[in-house]
Amino acid sequence: MSNSLSQAAHGTPQNPYSSASRWRHQESSSFSRHAVSHPHPDAAAAQAHIDGVAPQGLNGDGPVSSGDSSEVVCGPLLNYCHMQDGHWEGSVLIVLNGGGKKQGPVPVLSLQRAGARGQAGAEAAGAPVKQISGFRLYSDPRNTFWRFDITVPMEPTEVQYAYEFPGLRFSNPEKPQVNRFSVPAAGESMRLMFHSCNGFSVGTDEEAFSGTPLWKDVLRKHEAAPFHVMLGGGDQIYNDGIRVSGPLRPWTDISNPKKRRDFPFSEQLRAECDDYYLKNYLRWYNTAPFAIANGQIPQVNIWDDHDIIDGFGSYVNDFMTCDVFRGIGGTAHKYYMIFQHHLAPPVSTYTSGKTPTVRMGADPAQQVDTFVAEQNPGSQYIIGAKPGPYVAERSFNMYARLGARMAMLGIDARTERTRHQVNYPETYKLLYQRLRDELQAAASSEQPIDHLILLLGIPIAYPFLSRRFGIGGGLFNHFDGSVDLLDDLDDHYTAKTHKAERRELIESMQKIAAEYNVRVTILGGDVHLAALGRFYSNPKLKIPVEEDSRYMANIVSSAIVNKPPPQAVANLLARRNKIHHLNEQTDETMLDLFDRDPGSTPKTAGHNKCTMPSRNFAMITENSPNNPAAAAAAVTNGATETKSFVGKDGHAQMHQGEVGAGTGHRAASDAFGQGNDGSLDIRINVEKDQHNAEGPTQAYGLTVPVLRKRAAGGPQ
C-alpha cells in the first residue's frame, strides 16, 4: 500500500469537489456541502521502511507477541530538549491504549549505545542496556501518555543510540521495533532539517498530490547523513476539519454572525472537540512515513494557526473572544503541549462561564477518571509572563544549543497573537534577555556561538501584500465574513498592523548580532512557497556581508505536505520582490535562488527566480572548522578570484556564498556541509513531481558566511 493519505487508500472515490485554484486554506463551496454526508475517514497506518522484515529487538530477539494487551497507539515521538553539562537531553513519548486515574504497569524504554556513525550495531552486542522508566503525563479512559527522559554524554565522535519498549506492541505492525537516533560529536554543530505546513487543507485532493511523499525523501537523506534535529515551524498538524466533518460543523453552519458569536461552548461540545483533537493527533502522528521520522529524528516545534484552526488569532476581536474559539484554543493547546512538547497539559480547559487560569481552577467535570501530572517544563523554555488573549495559557518560547557553535530561539507567535500584535512587549523583553545571557555565557566559554537560528511561524523577509490582493472567486470565509486570504495577510509580519513590531524585532536581533558577533539566520514557513529573503545593510554604507550584522537570511520553506499556490500567485509575489527599506540602514529583498524549475512541468514564469510553488523542506549544516582543509579546497563554488561585492544591492549577488546560488551551487551537491570556514550551507529540497509517490526532490543551495568583527572606525 502507498505511504500516502490518499482517499484511494481507503477505498473511497477521488474527491470531485475540491478546488484546484485556491491558494491557501478555503475549501470549495461544493466540498463544504459534500463534507456533511461524506466525512473523510481516518487514515490507516501506511507501510514503513523496514524492508518487509519482522521487527527485531535490540539483542536480535523476535518481535513482540501480538497477544500482548499493552498496545502503543501512537509513537514513539522523539524530542530534543537541550545540551547541558556535556550531555544531550531529550525525551520520547508513547501513547498507550486505555487508561484512567488509576495507574497501571509502568512501561520501560531500553536504551543502548549502538556505536559511532558508520558503525551502528557494531558495538550493540557488548554495550550495556539502560532501562528508563516512563513518567505518566496524562491519562483518561481513552489513552495514557508516557514520557521517557533520555540523557546521554556527548562524545568526541558522533554516536548512535538504539531504543525499544520491551513487552509493548505497536498498533501499526509495520513500525520498527527498534528506533535509532544520532547525537553529534561534542565539538560539532547539529545537522538540521526544517519543515512546516505538514498537512492538507480541507478540500484538497490528496490523491492528486500522492499523499506525503517528501517525508520519504527526508528519510532517505537522514539515512545518508542523519539529522540531529528537525525544527517544526508550525502547522505540524491540520485540525481545520473540525469545522467541516467534526463537532464544529453545526456551529459553522449558523448563518447569523451574532448567533454564531454567542453560541455556548458547553461541556458536551468541549468533550466532543477534545475527542476530535486527540483522534486527529493519533491518526496523523501514527501514519508513515511521518511517523517513522518521528521516532528517529528529534523534534523541536512551535505551533501556528492550523495546529488549532485556520486563522486563529487573526480574526476580529469580537469573534476571537467568543466561547467556541476560546474553547477550541484551550483544547488544541492541551494536545499541542502533550504531543509536540511532551509536557503535561493544563488540568482543565475553557468551557462557557469557566475560564481556568494557568495551572489552576480545575473543572470537576474534566477530572472524572482522569490523571494530569504536574507541569515541569525544562530550562529550554522561556515562558510568557501572562496568558494569551484567546488561549488562557502563557506562551512557550524556546532557547536551545544546537551543538558546538549553533543555537536556536523559537518564538511562540500564536498564543499571544491578535490582529494587532504577534507577541506581548513583555515577552520580547524576556526573549532578548535570555539571548544575551546565553550568548554572553557562551562567549566566555571555550565554545562561543557563531550562528543563531531564529525559528518563526511566518516569514519575516517576504513581499509586502495588500488587501487588494486576491485571485479567483469565493473570497469569503466561514467564520467572521472577512474576505478569504485576509486572515493570512493579517497574520503576516508585513501586514500594516504588524510592521512596527516586525521592525522592532529585526532591529533588536541586529543589535544582539552585533553585540555578540553572531550570525542570525531566520526560518519561516506558512506560505506554501519556497523562497530566500534577506535583510542587509544599505549598500551606501559599504559594509561587506561578512562584517554585516544586519545581514540575515530568511529561509522560507513551506509546505512539506500541503498543496502549493497556483503559479499565478507565485509569479505575482515575484513581481512584488522590490527592494524595501526597513530603516535608513537596512534594506531587504529576496534572492534569485531558483535558476530553473525542479521538474519537467513549468512552475514559474521566466521572470520569476525567487518564489517556487512546489512542496519542499530545508536542510542547514555548518561547514565545520574541524573538516579537513583538503575537503574544503575541493568544494569551493567555482570561484577563481577574490571578488568585491561591496555596494551591491539585494538584486545582485552580495557575497561569495550567493554566487551560483541554485541547482549548481556546491550546497546543492554532495559537497553540502563539507567546507571548513564555519559558514552555513543552506539547501531547499523541492518536489520534482507531485504525482511521484517516492518524492524525489531538486536541491537549491547557497551559503551563509560567519560574521566577522567589524574593523574599528569602520561604517556602522
Side-chain angles (χ1 to χ4, degrees):
M1 185 171 67
S2 168
N3 279 355
S4 74
L5 299 177
S6 67
Q7 291 171 315
H10 306 288
T12 54
Q14 177 178 335
N15 171 21
Y17 302 97
S18 59
S19 169
S21 63
R22 296 303 170 95
W23 176 26
R24 289 279 277 130
H25 320 298
Q26 187 71 7
E27 73 273 8
S28 65
S29 57
S30 57
F31 179 82
S32 299
R33 294 189 295 270
H34 166 76
V36 177
S37 56
H38 295 80
H40 192 284
D42 283 351
Q47 184 177 0
H49 295 288
I50 51 177
D51 301 323
V53 179
Q56 299 292 307
L58 282 173
N59 296 313
D61 50 337
V64 175
S65 169
S66 60
D68 194 331
S69 61
S70 297
E71 183 181 46
V72 179
V73 297
C74 189
L77 310 178
L78 176 64
N79 273 15
Y80 169 65
C81 296
H82 53 210
M83 293 168 52
Q84 189 169 329
D85 299 328
H87 286 75
W88 180 101
E89 297 186 10
S91 62
V92 174
L93 182 80
I94 60 171
V95 188
L96 296 186
N97 192 25
K101 189 177 293 289
K102 185 178 179 180
Q103 179 172 302
V106 177
V108 171
L109 179 148
S110 294
L111 179 71
Q112 187 174 39
R113 185 184 185 278
R117 182 186 170 197
Q119 299 176 336
E123 300 176 32
V129 177
K130 180 180 180 180
Q131 304 294 335
I132 301 172
S133 295
F135 173 78
R136 188 169 60 143
L137 287 178
Y138 177 83
S139 182
D140 63 27
R142 300 167 298 177
N143 298 106
T144 302
F145 295 80
W146 294 93
R147 187 186 75 208
F148 303 82
D149 295 324
I150 296 176
T151 300
V152 296
M154 307 286 287
E155 301 186 28
T157 58
E158 181 177 354
V159 174
Q160 282 199 336
Y161 282 85
Y163 69 95
E164 67 170 342
F165 301 93
L168 301 183
R169 65 180 180 88
F170 295 104
S171 59
N172 178 356
E174 294 172 319
K175 277 193 175 180
Q177 186 68 21
V178 178
N179 281 277
R180 289 177 170 82
F181 64 92
S182 292
V183 175
E188 299 295 349
S189 300
M190 294 185 179
R191 290 186 292 272
L192 313 181
M193 175 265 187
F194 169 65
H195 68 93
S196 67
C197 300
N198 180 41
F200 286 109
S201 299
V202 289
T204 302
D205 185 351
E206 298 174 18
E207 186 179 50
F209 287 88
S210 306
T212 64
L214 262 63
W215 282 108
K216 292 184 181 180
D217 196 53
V218 170
L219 289 171
R220 286 193 293 268
K221 289 176 169 55
H222 177 64
E223 179 69 22
F227 296 115
H228 299 119
V229 69
M230 60 179 178
L231 303 177
D235 300 338
Q236 276 70 249
I237 185 171
Y238 274 56
N239 287 313
D240 304 334
I242 195 171
R243 67 179 174 87
V244 177
S245 57
L248 291 190
R249 185 58 190 249
W251 173 76
T252 305
D253 287 341
I254 298 173
S255 59
N256 186 304
K258 184 179 185 301
K259 290 183 178 179
R260 195 184 312 124
R261 183 190 64 198
D262 295 340
F263 195 88
F265 195 71
S266 65
E267 168 57 26
Q268 178 180 345
L269 182 55
R270 182 210 63 79
E272 292 172 351
C273 290
D274 187 287
D275 206 52
Y276 177 90
Y277 281 106
L278 171 63
K279 289 180 178 177
N280 202 35
Y281 263 103
L282 292 176
R283 174 187 69 87
W284 188 250
Y285 273 72
N286 204 41
T287 302
F290 177 49
I292 307 303
N294 288 335
Q296 298 177 1
I297 310 173
Q299 304 173 69
V300 173
N301 297 321
I302 59 173
W303 67 341
D304 205 32
D305 56 339
H306 294 280
D307 298 276
I308 311 171
I309 199 170
D310 182 20
F312 188 95
S314 290
Y315 297 111
V316 296
N317 185 68
D318 284 349
F319 186 66
M320 286 302 315
T321 55
C322 77
D323 279 358
V324 169
F325 256 46
R326 294 172 75 183
I328 62 172
T331 306
H333 174 270
K334 169 184 177 179
Y335 289 108
Y336 168 63
M337 286 286 102
I338 299 175
F339 279 93
Q340 299 198 43
H341 290 279
H342 304 180
L343 292 175
V347 291
S348 56
T349 61
Y350 179 91
T351 55
S352 296
K354 298 178 181 178
T355 309
T357 56
V358 179
R359 306 301 302 167
M360 297 176 64
D363 183 353
Q366 299 181 42
Q367 305 307 304
V368 176
D369 202 16
T370 297
F371 167 82
V372 184
E374 288 293 323
Q375 194 175 76
N376 185 26
S379 62
Q380 70 269 31
Y381 290 105
I382 309 161
I383 302 175
K386 60 183 179 180
Y390 311 128
V391 178
E393 299 293 332
R394 294 184 288 173
S395 62
F396 272 65
N397 311 277
M398 291 168 289
Y399 173 89
R401 188 130 183 179
L402 301 178
R405 291 166 293 277
M406 293 173 62
M408 65 147 288
L409 176 70
I411 299 182
D412 175 351
R414 190 56 52 181
T415 302
E416 300 172 358
R417 178 181 290 272
T418 71
R419 286 169 69 93
H420 302 287
Q421 74 175 26
V422 180
N423 288 98
Y424 294 134
E426 300 92 329
T427 297
Y428 286 117
K429 290 180 182 178
L430 292 172
L431 297 178
Y432 300 148
Q433 187 59 55
R434 176 65 177 271
L435 270 183
R436 286 185 163 91
D437 291 345
E438 295 284 355
L439 293 174
Q440 181 59 53
S444 302
S445 71
E446 296 180 356
Q447 287 189 330
I449 300 297
D450 291 336
H451 292 279
L452 176 66
I453 304 297
L454 179 61
L455 178 61
L456 302 175
I458 294 175
I460 197 166
Y462 194 68
F464 289 72
L465 300 177
S466 72
R467 287 176 172 263
R468 293 174 301 201
F469 178 80
I471 289 182
L475 293 176
F476 292 91
N477 65 41
H478 279 249
F479 289 145
D480 61 356
S482 298
V483 177
D484 187 30
L485 302 183
L486 292 194
D487 65 295
D488 295 306
L489 299 187
D490 287 333
D491 245 14
H492 284 194
Y493 282 104
T494 51
K496 182 177 180 180
T497 55
H498 296 321
K499 285 177 71 173
E501 184 175 349
R502 170 184 186 264
R503 175 174 167 171
E504 291 173 3
L505 172 57
I506 293 301
E507 289 177 344
S508 296
M509 296 306 298
Q510 289 175 339
K511 291 177 182 177
I512 290 173
E515 288 174 27
Y516 298 97
N517 202 56
V518 60
R519 175 71 70 194
V520 176
T521 299
I522 306 167
L523 305 180
D526 180 75
V527 293
H528 302 178
L529 286 164
L532 198 292
R534 303 107 91 218
F535 296 99
Y536 51 92
S537 286
N538 188 317
K540 294 179 181 179
L541 297 176
K542 304 291 185 181
I543 301 175
V545 165
E546 291 79 3
E547 300 176 7
D548 184 7
S549 57
R550 299 185 185 97
Y551 180 89
M552 302 178 187
N554 183 184
I555 304 162
V556 182
S557 183
S558 171
I560 193 169
V561 169
N562 210 351
K563 65 181 180 181
Q567 297 176 20
V569 172
N571 294 334
L572 179 59
L573 286 167
R575 293 289 190 192
R576 300 282 299 174
N577 184 31
K578 311 297 184 182
I579 294 178
H580 296 277
H581 306 288
L582 180 79
N583 54 38
E584 290 184 359
Q585 294 80 34
T586 308
D587 289 352
E588 58 181 287
T589 193
M590 291 193 294
L591 174 69
D592 283 345
L593 178 62
F594 305 104
D595 53 319
R596 63 182 179 87
D597 287 325
S600 58
T601 304
K603 298 290 184 182
T604 58
H607 72 270
N608 181 7
K609 304 296 183 184
C610 61
T611 64
M612 178 53 65
S614 293
R615 297 189 292 185
N616 62 90
F617 64 94
M619 298 160 52
I620 303 100
T621 296
E622 179 193 42
N623 288 297
S624 170
N626 300 320
N627 285 344
V635 295
T636 55
N637 205 41
T640 58
E641 61 183 52
T642 302
K643 180 180 179 181
S644 174
F645 300 89
V646 174
K648 298 290 186 180
D649 65 34
H651 284 325
Q653 299 162 347
M654 299 182 65
H655 60 89
Q656 189 62 51
E658 291 183 355
V659 174
T663 57
H665 196 277
R666 68 174 181 82
S669 73
D670 291 342
F672 178 74
Q674 297 302 305
N676 72 347
D677 61 357
S679 62
L680 288 187
D681 271 356
I682 310 296
R683 176 191 289 180
I684 299 180
N685 300 285
V686 178
E687 184 176 41
K688 290 182 176 180
D689 180 3
Q690 71 182 53
H691 303 293
N692 189 330
E694 294 306 309
T697 58
Q698 175 68 60
Y700 300 83
L702 77 152
T703 299
V704 172
V706 292
L707 180 61
R708 297 200 303 259
K709 289 185 178 181
R710 299 297 323 282
Q716 300 298 319

